[in-house]
Amino acid sequence: MFRKVHLRLTLLCVVVTILIIGSMSAAYLYISEKNLRDTYFSSFQNDMNTLLSNLGNQSVITHRWLSWMEGNGKYIIDVRDNGVDFLWNSYTDTAHPERRPAIDAGWDYYNSHFSMASGSSFYSISHQEFSFSQTGSGPDDYYGCVAVFSRDSGTLSFLILKPLSPLTVQIAAQRRAFVVPVLAACAFLWLFFWYFTRKLLSPIEESRQSQIRFVAAASHELRTPLSVILSAADACKKAKPAEQDKFFAIISDEGKSMSRLISSLLMLAGADSHSFSLQKENCEMDTLLLDTFEAFEPLAQKGGHALSVLLPDHRVAPLYCDGDRIRQVLSILLHNAFSHTPAGSHIRLSLKDTPKELSLSVSDNGPGIPDDKKARIFERFYRADNARPDSPDSHFGLGLSIAGEILHAHGGSIRVFDTPGGGATFTLTLRR
């Protein structure tokens, strides 16, 4: 499924981008070709003005002069004297029979589209430039100019054609010059968007894989106490009344364990769906830290740990937060400290206050956390190898995940450092 979405998203990005580039390129080519044709036609008109001016100065029109005026195929000239073909026409038609269809098409186009009146003065010149297609359909392939010289002895008509094949070749070359980069851009865009969309979708794929692992791990964690409950219930049926209390205690303990696990899963599910609720109010953080210290001091003494608290000398301004959630985070960290440190270890709660933020720390002088595990301890269901089995959350691996979600909901952070001299220090940072 991920591969299919990746492919479709890549195709969508490439097609949309190519459509934009293609539209802009087509618009540019259209404007460029139109300007090129206009320039080419203007140049043709200027050439005709020069040629006709030169022609008007000739007293005698010879075949040699007409051949020179054609410029080795640059122009095609057809001459009519009072409507009768000039001898030049027969000569050139015999030598170049392919000229006649273009000449006939040029005269037909001129006669059907224009009407040139004869001048009333002793001597006059009139001319008309136009473009036309020899076949009568499709793009124009000739520029034409019909010039009529009126004298007292009659009229001399000229049809001068300029093939547009050089312009067509130039336009085709320009189009190829655009097509090749566009095709190269298509290949580049495909590679770019293939890589880009993979990067774009990778968090989604990682989230999906994480959910799969989460469901698998949660199922495994729930299966273990459920199996114990079922086994104890089955054994309870066969046990004597005096022995049943032991199995009932097992069922009760595992039921409580399942209840804690389900509560943790529901809390994490709420964080994933952004429905994690906080009840914020102004909290005295030094008082909260002292209350937590007093609540955990008996547990520390029972486990043989030395628990202390360090507070600033000045008054700490209240912090707007969910005090119960922050106390929950401290409880998770203290339980972990009791579970991962041997008896006789020293565990300290401390508070640092600055104008912009407030930091709570739980530090111990136990074995510490290896650097290769520091990046993973906040992952769900990740368990440290040296956890004591009597910790309430030691076999779940969800405590630090919940702590991270609570700090994230507050807009704060939780980080782990090495304690000077050995051990681990977890620091909660909350912005004011």
Side-chain angles (χ1 to χ4, degrees), residues 212-254:
I212 292 174
R213 292 192 297 268
F214 181 80
V215 172
S219 301
H220 174 75
E221 293 293 342
L222 287 170
R223 185 187 299 118
T224 301
L226 183 60
S227 299
V228 174
I229 290 173
L230 293 176
S231 299
D234 186 62
C236 188
K237 294 178 182 179
K238 303 175 183 178
K240 297 178 180 180
E243 299 175 347
Q244 289 181 348
D245 290 341
K246 178 179 65 176
F247 295 110
F248 286 146
I250 293 175
I251 294 173
S252 177
D253 291 341
E254 294 300 325

Side-chain angles (χ1 to χ4, degrees), residues 303-316:
H305 298 91
L307 182 63
S308 63
V309 62
L310 179 63
L311 298 175
D313 295 333
H314 60 275
R315 179 182 179 276
V316 179

Side-chain angles (χ1 to χ4, degrees), residues 118-136:
S118 299
S120 58
S121 61
F122 172 75
Y123 174 75
S124 65
I125 302 176
S126 59
H127 61 93
Q128 178 67 53
E129 289 80 25
F130 54 90
S131 61
F132 70 97
S133 171
Q134 180 179 335
T135 61

